[in-house]
Structures are given as C-alpha cells and as structure tokens.
C-alpha cells in the first residue's frame, strides 16, 4: 500500500506515524511545503519571547529522525500543486530545485492546515508587517525583533496567537498595543469572563484598543497602523493575528466537497467525498460535539486525534472521530484562562436557552498557604440541565478543573452530576468540596428551587425606588472599598437579628463578595418567607466586569498605566 500525506505538523505527522505502527510494509511519503515536518506550533510565540531559548526545541521531528524511527520518506520544501483523483496521483514541486514530478498513491491524506487571514490592506506587504504560521515566520519575527530592537509593536487580533504574541513581546520590554475588532479578547470566553483577561493585560502594560477595525498601514519612513476611524497608531512593526482560514486550494482543485469557509467536508472516519482521500486538521469541517452543528476548530489536540482516526481506517480498523468541543487553555502573563464546550453567547446564537453558575473558589484548601482565587463559569441548558460549557480564569489548578469539566461534557453528564464526582483532595491541591463539586451543588440548588439568581446584566434594570430590597451582606469594611448604588448593608452575621428592617412583601436582591455569604443570607430570608434572589458571582466578579466596561469606553486611557 502506497500512502501519500500532504502536510505534516500535527495531523499529517500523526497519521504517518500511526500508519507505520499498524502496517510495517506500507510505503509512506510525506510532502511538506515548509522546511519543517513536525514542530511545536503552539510554542512559536514563546521562542520569540525567549521563554524557549533553543530553536531546535521547536522541531519535534526531522526528516532524518522520522526515517530512522519509522522508515517514512519525508520531503520538506516539497509543495503538492495538483491532485488527480482519477489517476490517483499528485503533482509535486521541489521548491529547492524547481523540479516538478508526479507521485502515485493508493491512499491520500490531506493535512494542509490553516493559513493566517491577510486582508488586502494598503501597505500589508511592507517588510514591517508579519504573520505567524510556521517556523520560518517565527524566525523572521525573531530576527526583526533582535536586529531592529523595536520600541513599539502593534499586534492585530485578540485570539490565542495575538494574546500570546502580546505577552511575549511585552516580556522583552517592548511597548505593545493590541487592537481587536470585537469588543473583547478571546472569543471562547463570554464578555464577563474576558474582563479578567483584559484587566491582566492592562496591568502588565499592554495597551488594549477594543472594538476598533484596522484599515491599512502607513509605510513611509514612519510606520503606522491606520484604524477605520482615521486614527493612526505609530509603531516599529505589526503582527497580524486576526484569525485563520482553511488552506484548501488544493482540495478545491481536486473537486472535493467543501464546507464552512471553504473547509474540507469529511465524515467521522475522516474520509472526504472522494474514495481513498482523507483529510485531517485545521482544514477540515468537523461536528461541534455540544451543538451537533458543523464547525471549524483549529487546535492541535483535535488534529492529532483526526490523524490517528484516518490512519486507523486506512489500515483496516474502524475508528471514528466524535467531534470537537474546543477545549483550550492559555497562559496570559500571571493568569491561566481555560474553556471547553460552548459559551453563553454561542448558546444564544444557536437558540439554546441556558442558565449559568458563577463562583469564585480557592485553588486549594483555604487554610493551606498559597491558595489563589479562580473564577469559574459553568453554562448549562435551562430545561435539561445538560452541561454545555465552562470557562475558568485564575492562577493554580485551572487546567485541572477544565479537564474535569471537559470530560463531564464528553460523558453527557448533567450539571448537577458534578456534585457527585469523586475528586482527589489534599490541602495543597484542592478542597474537600472541589470547585467543580461546588458548581454542581449550586446547580442542584437551582434545580431544587432552593435559590434564584440575578446577574450582572440585571443590575442596571433594578429599580431604586424602594419597590425592591437591595441588600449587601458583606462586612462594613468590604462595603467601604466599593459597593453597588442603592444597596443597603446588613452583614450576614447580623441578618437574623436585623431581619425586621427588611420589608417582607418586597423582592430581595442580595450580593456578597463571592456568592457564598449571599447564598446563606438568601436561605435565611427564604426560611422566613421572603422572595429572594442571589447574585451570581459576587461583588468581586461584578467589579471586574464593571471596571472593564469603563476601561473599554476609553481603552487608550486604560493602557499600560492602568492598575
């Protein structure tokens, strides 16, 4: 059996190695357009920032190591320029010598990946404008940074690459402005959770310009990024990271059925519309595991799994890819931010009526030194309590909890089932009631009618005319450092003695610092017959969201000097 694989990195390289492990006699050839067959794509920004100092560490495999271990013929700087599915052959151009030749196949795997979006802006071809896709791009940016010593860099785009580039360039002492067309960074997060990301970026000196469209580049002696509103941000270089699109020109030429954004349509065996042609990685359309709808998920984990599934089916096994849920984690200076499944915004766009629990928990037992707060938002379907997604932002233990929640989604668990999970506990690592368990307890209370919630978006709508009771149950000291307008302070430990101060025939809206004391107060009042609503997330969460909105109105003013 002759197998030709177009593209390496995650999907293609994984498929090649798996085929060899399953079939020692298969003839396997991999053509890769770049000079590197398998590299740590997610590590590229960290090499630019110096966190990874040895560029050799970026290359996971070389053509020589692949051949030595697997006897796979890997040819870098070889571009497949045409696929002839009727003849079962590909036309290949050797980018070093210019020679063009045909290569036959019995099975073909396409793993072309995705390419950076590069709009035809005026000045986009200037030598000071960069994108980051592969190792060669990384070296170009690194050489420019080390050779030119730029004082100010503009990063365009607030997704994974944009945020990581901003962090790493800022770590080099460079002034960084990050421009994002949307009103927030990091689309996997809802706006309220993104507020914590914005605060960290600003605190570490990154100037955020949100809700601003780039219109082009000024490329004379003085370089600048021009915004649609006419403003020009002066800089020494720019990195465009405004998203990726499937690199599927070859698939289109071959006559394969295409889907979202020109992606390659495959079934759950990673088979395309043409027999004996498979496709994997960022170029393929998959199924969103939560919504059941077609989706594009450009992450290394899914690409590796898809490569394995394609290899299994090529070699006679029956493997299937069940779809992706976009589980991800990112380091943002001192923070860790992670998500899985869909967020509240996506649920609304899909017509899914959802609810949420928001909690601030310690990363481990509060009495053990070094615990740090994490904010967790768990989204679930309102009627069925089906887990839809989760977002966590904190410091320690974030990755652990998001993986538990990702597993729970995959297992089809209800949100209240989280209460029953038997999770490992020791004071340095967790609490006897882990934050994941706590989310389950909170959802269980909602389901059983023990608590009703109100949210940040409800706050401006709350009447201040005395028709409802607005109650803050934090300590007096906490309230002096900041409080919501119109809220009366009765600390929770005084509530029973002062309950006569609260009119019983009016709804009561309660808030505390994290949501725990307000829940206790809500139960006290409910036990006395009051109609009570507990604020989801607590004042700490509310203040982060409110402050972010204020900063976003004048984002330039809330730049590197913001606290």
């Amino acid at each position: 059996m002759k197998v030709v694989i177009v593209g390496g990195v995650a999907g293609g390289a994984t498929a090649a190695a798996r085929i060899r492990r399953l079939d020692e006699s298969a003839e396997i050839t991999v053509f890769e357009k770049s000079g590197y067959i398998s590299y740590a794509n997610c590590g590229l920004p960290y090499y630019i920032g110096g966190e990874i100092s040895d560029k050799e560490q970026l290359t996971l495999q070389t053509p020589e190591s692949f051949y030595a271990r697997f006897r796979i013929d890997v040819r870098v700087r070889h571009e497949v320029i045409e696929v002839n599915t009727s003849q079962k052959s590909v036309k290949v151009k050797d980018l070093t010598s210019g020679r063009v030749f045909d290569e036959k196949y019995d099975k073909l795997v396409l793993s072309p990946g995705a390419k950076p979006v590069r709009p035809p802006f005026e000045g986009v071809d200037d030598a000071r404008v960069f994108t980051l896709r592969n190792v060669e791009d990384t070296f170009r940016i690194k050489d420019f940074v080390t050779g030119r010593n730029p004082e100010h860099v503009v990063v365009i785009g607030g997704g994974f690459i944009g945020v990581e580039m901003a962090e790493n360039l800022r770590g080099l002492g460079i002034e960084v402005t990050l421009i994002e067309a949307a009103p927030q960074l990091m689309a996997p997060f809802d706006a309220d959770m993104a507020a914590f990301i914005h605060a960290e970026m600003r605190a570490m000196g990154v100037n955020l310009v949100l809700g601003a469209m780039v219109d082009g580049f000024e490329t004379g002696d003085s370089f600048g990024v021009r915004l649609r509103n006419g403003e020009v941000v002066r800089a020494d270089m720019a990195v465009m990271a405004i998203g990726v699109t499937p690199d599927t020109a070859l698939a289109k030429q071959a006559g394969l059925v295409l889907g979202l954004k020109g992606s390659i349509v495959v079934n759950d065996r990673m088979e395309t519309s043409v027999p004996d042609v498979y496709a994997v990685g960022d170029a393929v359309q998959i199924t969103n595991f939560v919504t059941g709808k077609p989706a594009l998920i450009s992450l290394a984990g899914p690409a590796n799994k898809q490569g394995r599934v394609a290899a299994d089916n090529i070699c006679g096994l029956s493997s299937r890819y069940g779809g992706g849920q976009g589980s991800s984690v990112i380091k943002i200076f001192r923070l860790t931010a992670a998500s899985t499944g869909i967020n509240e915004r996506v649920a609304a766009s899909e017509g899914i009526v959802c609810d949420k629990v928001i909690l601030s928990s310690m990363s481990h037992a509060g009495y053990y030194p070094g615990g740090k707060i994490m904010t967790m938002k768990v989204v679930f379907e309102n009627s069925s309590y089906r887990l839809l997604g989760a977002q966590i932002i904190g410091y320690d233990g974030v990755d652990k909890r998001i993986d538990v929640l990702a597993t729970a989604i995959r297992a089809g668990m209800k949100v209240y089932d989280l209460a029953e999970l038997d999770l490992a506990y020791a004071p340095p690592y967790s609490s006897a009631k882990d934050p994941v368990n706590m989310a389950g307890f909170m959802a269980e209370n909602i389901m059983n009618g023990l608590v009703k919630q109100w949210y940040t978006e409800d706050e401006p709508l709350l009447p201040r005319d005395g028709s409802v009771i607005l109650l803050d149950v934090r300590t007096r000291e906490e309230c002096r450092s900041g409080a919501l307008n119109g809220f009366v302070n009765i600390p929770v430990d005084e509530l029973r003695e002062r309950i006569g101060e609260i009119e019983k025939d009016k709804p009561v809206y309660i808030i505390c610092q994290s949501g725990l004391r307000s829940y206790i107060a809500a139960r006290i009042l409910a036990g006395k017959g009051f109609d009570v609503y507990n604020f989801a997330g607590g004042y700490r969460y509310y203040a982060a969201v409110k402050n972010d909105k204020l900063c976003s109105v004048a984002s330039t003013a809330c730049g590197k000097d913001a606290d």
Side-chain angles (χ1 to χ4, degrees):
M1 177 175 64
K2 173 66 180 292
V3 181
V4 169
I5 299 174
V6 181
V9 196
T14 295
R18 177 67 172 172
I19 291 169
R20 172 58 72 229
R21 290 193 295 269
L22 296 176
D23 187 346
E24 185 62 23
S25 64
E27 184 182 348
I28 308 167
T29 302
V30 181
F31 295 113
E32 167 59 43
K33 183 167 61 174
S34 77
Y36 299 86
I37 181 59
S38 181
Y39 53 87
N41 197 294
C42 299
L44 301 181
Y46 298 99
Y47 173 72
I48 293 169
E51 292 293 322
I52 299 172
S53 57
D54 183 0
K55 64 182 180 181
E56 300 300 324
Q57 293 178 321
L58 295 175
T59 53
L60 306 178
Q61 293 279 1
T62 65
E64 294 76 20
S65 67
F66 234 65
Y67 185 80
R69 177 68 54 85
F70 298 111
R71 294 299 188 270
I72 292 172
D73 180 12
V74 174
R75 305 186 205 179
V76 295
R77 293 195 51 76
H78 279 68
E79 181 181 6
V80 174
I81 57 178
E82 185 179 317
V83 176
N84 188 327
T85 57
S86 61
Q87 296 295 319
K88 301 186 78 168
S89 68
V90 295
K91 189 177 294 294
V92 186
K93 182 177 182 179
D94 183 335
L95 298 179
T96 301
S97 68
R99 183 175 73 95
V100 177
F101 60 93
D102 291 329
E103 188 87 11
K104 288 283 192 177
Y105 68 82
D106 297 309
K107 305 286 184 181
L108 177 65
V109 180
L110 300 178
S111 180
K115 57 187 178 182
V117 174
R118 194 178 175 91
F121 292 141
E122 181 183 357
V124 72
D125 294 324
D126 189 90
R128 291 162 289 189
V129 179
F130 298 85
T131 57
L132 180 60
R133 179 187 186 186
N134 53 34
V135 176
E136 287 90 344
D137 294 337
T138 306
F139 293 161
R140 279 192 287 270
I141 295 173
K142 182 76 168 179
D143 289 346
F144 188 96
V145 169
T146 55
R148 302 283 190 90
N149 295 312
E151 295 181 0
H152 184 196
V153 177
V154 171
V155 176
I156 306 167
F160 287 95
I161 294 295
V163 169
E164 289 172 345
M165 281 300 303
E167 175 187 353
N168 280 278
L169 291 169
R170 187 72 191 120
L172 295 173
I174 300 170
E175 183 181 352
V176 177
T177 295
L178 196 162
I179 301 173
E180 167 57 46
Q184 68 166 81
L185 304 178
M186 298 299 296
F189 295 86
D190 285 313
D192 53 353
M193 297 296 284
F196 294 93
I197 297 173
H198 298 167
E200 178 70 1
M201 298 285 282
R202 290 170 177 138
M204 299 306 290
V206 176
N207 181 35
L208 298 184
V209 181
L210 304 176
M213 297 287 290
V214 170
D215 194 45
F217 301 94
E218 294 195 355
T219 58
D221 292 338
S222 177
F223 178 77
V225 179
R226 188 174 64 247
L227 304 183
R228 189 166 291 178
N229 64 7
E231 179 185 351
V232 176
V233 182
R234 294 294 171 191
D236 301 303
M237 65 179 286
V239 179
M240 291 205 306
I242 58 178
V244 296
T245 185
D247 190 357
T248 53
L250 193 63
K252 183 177 181 180
Q253 173 272 315
L256 306 184
V257 172
L258 304 180
L260 292 175
K261 295 184 178 180
S263 58
I264 305 170
V265 173
V266 294
N267 60 19
D268 59 1
R269 293 166 55 88
M270 307 314 297
E271 296 169 324
T272 70
S273 57
V274 174
D276 297 323
V277 179
Y278 297 75
V280 301
D282 295 353
V284 305
Q285 173 181 293
I286 63 169
T287 299
N288 185 298
F289 182 81
V290 177
T291 66
K293 303 284 186 64
L296 298 175
I297 297 179
S298 298
L299 293 169
N304 275 283
K305 295 179 183 70
Q306 293 158 20
R308 181 183 176 92
V309 169
D312 285 356
N313 288 296
I314 286 171
C315 294
L317 301 179
S318 182
S319 291
R320 299 184 183 276
Y321 181 67
Q325 61 198 67
S327 300
S328 62
V329 63
I330 181 173
K331 175 184 175 294
I332 305 172
F333 292 101
R334 299 163 298 184
L335 282 181
T336 299
S339 69
T340 187
I342 63 173
N343 58 31
E344 196 177 2
R345 183 180 64 254
V346 172
S349 70
E350 293 290 341
I352 302 172
V353 180
C354 67
D355 204 346
K356 60 202 173 190
V357 293
I358 302 166
L359 60 153
S360 295
S361 298
M362 296 292 286
S363 56
H364 60 240
Y367 59 84
Y368 188 89
K372 295 180 180 178
I373 291 286
M374 67 173 68
T375 301
M376 178 187 297
K377 179 177 184 178
V378 178
V379 181
F380 55 94
E381 192 170 29
N382 190 277
S383 57
S384 68
Y385 288 85
R386 174 173 66 106
L387 266 173
L388 299 175
Q391 303 153 57
I392 311 176
I393 296 178
Y395 300 91
D396 299 331
V398 170
D399 52 342
K400 167 185 174 179
R401 273 69 182 214
I402 205 68
D403 283 344
V404 172
L405 289 161
T407 303
I409 291 172
R410 202 74 178 185
M413 294 174 64
K414 307 292 188 181
V415 64
Y416 50 77
D417 291 330
L418 299 176
E420 298 299 321
L421 291 179
D422 192 351
L423 303 176
Y425 160 61
Y429 303 106
S430 184
S431 300
K433 291 185 285 190
D434 189 87
V436 174
N437 295 135
M438 290 299 299
F441 295 148
M442 293 169 69
E444 194 175 54
N445 284 338
I446 294 170
M447 182 183 66
N448 292 332
L450 295 178
V451 67
K452 293 181 287 187
Q453 298 189 114
W454 67 282
Y455 309 101
T456 306
E457 55 267 30
D458 299 324
E459 187 270 332
L461 306 176
L462 291 178
R464 264 68 175 186
D465 59 1
S467 59
V468 301
I469 304 298
L470 306 177
L471 182 62
D472 190 326
V473 297
R474 294 177 296 157
T475 66
R476 293 176 182 83
E477 291 75 16
E478 287 173 314
C479 288
R480 278 195 285 269
S481 66
L484 277 72
N485 178 45
F487 275 67
V488 174
N489 177 224
I490 302 178
V492 65
D493 292 339
E494 301 176 15
L495 184 58
R496 288 183 178 88
E497 288 71 32
R498 298 176 60 184
I499 204 165
E501 300 176 27
I502 304 171
E503 297 177 67
K504 197 169 185 179
D505 60 344
K506 297 179 180 180
V508 183
Y509 290 80
I510 311 181
I511 192 169
C512 74
Q513 190 70 6
S514 69
L516 176 58
R517 283 173 288 171
S518 55
Y519 165 66
I520 294 169
R523 292 307 305 149
I524 291 171
L525 292 174
K528 299 292 185 180
F530 287 83
D531 181 20
V532 192
Y533 298 82
N534 183 31
F535 181 73
Y539 183 80
R540 173 184 170 274
Y541 159 83
Y542 169 85
V545 176
K546 185 73 171 180
N547 183 63
D548 183 57
K549 289 180 179 177
L550 293 173
C551 281
S552 295
V553 170
S555 56
T556 302
C558 292
K560 63 181 181 179
D561 296 325
D563 188 353

